[in-house]
Amino acid sequence: MKEIELYNDHFQNFKKYLNCKAQLIIADPPYNLGKNAYASNPKWYVDGDNANGESEFANTEFFDTDKNFKPAEFMHFCSQMLAKEPKNGLTDEDLESGEYGTVKDENVGGKKKSQAPCMILFCAFEQLHYYIELGQRYGFKHYIPLVFRKNFSAQVLKANMKVVGNCEYGLILYRDKLPNFNNDGRMIFNCFEWQKDNETPKIHPTQKPVPLLRNLIELFSDKGDVVIDPCAGSGSTLLAAAQCGRRAYGFEIKKEFFKAANERTLRFIQTRLF
């Protein structure tokens, strides 16, 4: 049975639950949009038409924790949850500690494939440089920018501006060594196509497509590795990790999202839920 666990708790308490570290962290933290969450989204108006007046979503937040999320605190804890970079001469005690993820001693050193961990972060375009700066503050010395291109836009209320956004953005953050990368000799561009997900129940306003998450997980981790999502939301990362044969752990502070992830998304896999 795949080892997948979702906790209805804050990621600050990860040491209470986990005795292992992540090879890969995937996170979609709150954007601190507050009451401007729906902004140019048609949901701002009844039936998406401004002629009908404002809807119940106008001047509302996605969730009440969005306005007071602390990115620096978040990055601090992510730096602790991520496994250490492998080094030559790991002892049995090192391997048993869980600090180095699932790496085996024979897989480190020399010219063999990198086993270094990394973090993938979804964020708004305006937040890119801020998270790069925070990453460097907490040991993530290097980054690769990511663009996720959609064939649609949620900014339809800005259509009269002629140019509307159809992309989401993110970062690959890593320490010293390039991360474990499964490209099979292929060139991978930092612009990914946004893969639609018509199978996974939609239970979260910023839910990411499971096919896209599977693609990222398969690129930056191996089977049996640990994947952690500190802001699990709908549990999509955990579902994708299970489908890829990874061990996954998630934290979701909002009870309604935890309950929905438990009942509607994670019920598709055999799992232990806390």
Side-chain angles (χ1 to χ4, degrees):
M1 185 171 68
K2 299 178 178 66
E3 187 173 353
I4 309 296
E5 299 179 0
L6 177 64
Y7 306 98
N8 182 205
D9 203 349
H10 200 284
F11 54 74
Q12 289 176 327
N13 297 321
F14 78 96
K15 290 182 179 180
K16 179 179 176 182
Y17 304 101
L18 304 183
N19 59 358
C20 60
K21 297 294 182 71
Q23 176 69 26
L24 173 65
I25 290 177
I26 296 185
D28 182 22
Y31 288 10
N32 284 342
L33 296 173
K35 292 186 176 182
N36 197 39
Y38 288 92
S40 59
N41 191 295
K43 286 188 177 181
W44 190 280
Y45 296 102
V46 175
D47 296 328
D49 188 344
N50 57 8
N52 297 331
E54 294 183 340
S55 72
E56 60 181 350
F57 297 105
N59 294 301
T60 62
E61 305 165 350
F62 282 149
F63 24 78
D64 57 13
T65 55
D66 184 47
K67 60 182 179 297
N68 54 14
F69 181 77
K70 299 178 181 178
E73 178 183 73
F74 167 74
M75 290 300 295
H76 165 69
F77 282 99
C78 286
S79 69
Q80 295 185 358
M81 283 188 275
L82 197 68
K84 293 181 179 179
E85 290 191 347
K87 60 182 180 180
N88 289 324
L90 288 178
T91 66
D92 290 340
E93 185 178 352
D94 289 331
L95 296 172
E96 291 173 1
S97 71
E99 293 290 324
Y100 294 91
T102 55
V103 66
K104 302 295 187 232
D105 198 29
E106 63 268 18
N107 291 334
V108 299
K111 296 182 179 180
K112 294 184 178 180
K113 174 183 169 183
S114 172
Q115 295 292 320
C118 71
M119 175 178 178
I120 297 177
L121 178 77
F122 291 92
C123 63
F125 178 81
E126 293 80 7
Q127 294 177 309
L128 286 170
H129 289 292
Y130 180 47
Y131 273 112
I132 290 170
E133 178 186 334
L134 285 179
Q136 292 172 344
R137 187 187 307 176
Y138 292 105
F140 297 99
K141 300 177 183 178
H142 307 284
Y143 68 91
I144 300 171
L146 298 176
V147 178
F148 302 97
R149 184 174 57 187
K150 302 176 179 179
N151 63 358
F152 63 94
S153 175
Q155 297 181 351
V156 295
L157 299 184
K158 290 184 178 179
N160 62 335
M161 296 172 61
K162 305 304 179 185
V163 177
V164 295
N166 73 321
C167 294
E168 293 207 20
Y169 301 90
L171 292 166
I172 300 170
L173 298 170
Y174 61 100
R175 298 186 181 111
D176 291 307
K177 301 176 183 178
L178 279 169
N180 179 4
F181 188 58
N182 299 316
N183 64 341
D184 295 325
R186 295 176 290 110
M187 182 180 292
I188 301 297
F189 299 115
N190 72 329
C191 183
F192 290 78
E193 295 298 327
W194 188 264
Q195 299 164 273
K196 285 192 173 182
D197 186 351
N198 298 319
E199 296 182 0
T200 311
K202 182 70 179 292
I203 60 177
H204 194 283
T206 62
Q207 184 169 313
K208 298 297 181 285
V210 169
L212 174 64
L213 295 169
R214 279 202 306 263
N215 188 15
L216 295 173
I217 289 168
E218 289 176 341
L219 277 175
F220 295 100
S221 68
D222 297 318
K223 286 188 176 181
D225 279 346
V226 173
V227 178
I228 294 178
D229 187 344
C231 304
S234 64
S236 296
T237 298
L238 278 65
L239 176 58
Q243 293 172 347
C244 295
R246 275 60 165 174
R247 299 159 55 197
Y249 304 90
F251 295 83
E252 175 51 48
I253 195 169
K254 299 297 293 180
K255 291 181 179 179
E256 59 269 32
F257 292 136
F258 168 79
K259 185 174 183 294
N262 191 343
E263 294 177 352
R264 298 176 60 190
T265 302
L266 297 179
R267 65 185 173 86
F268 291 104
I269 56 176
Q270 288 186 324
T271 180
R272 289 179 292 150
L273 290 174
F274 291 82

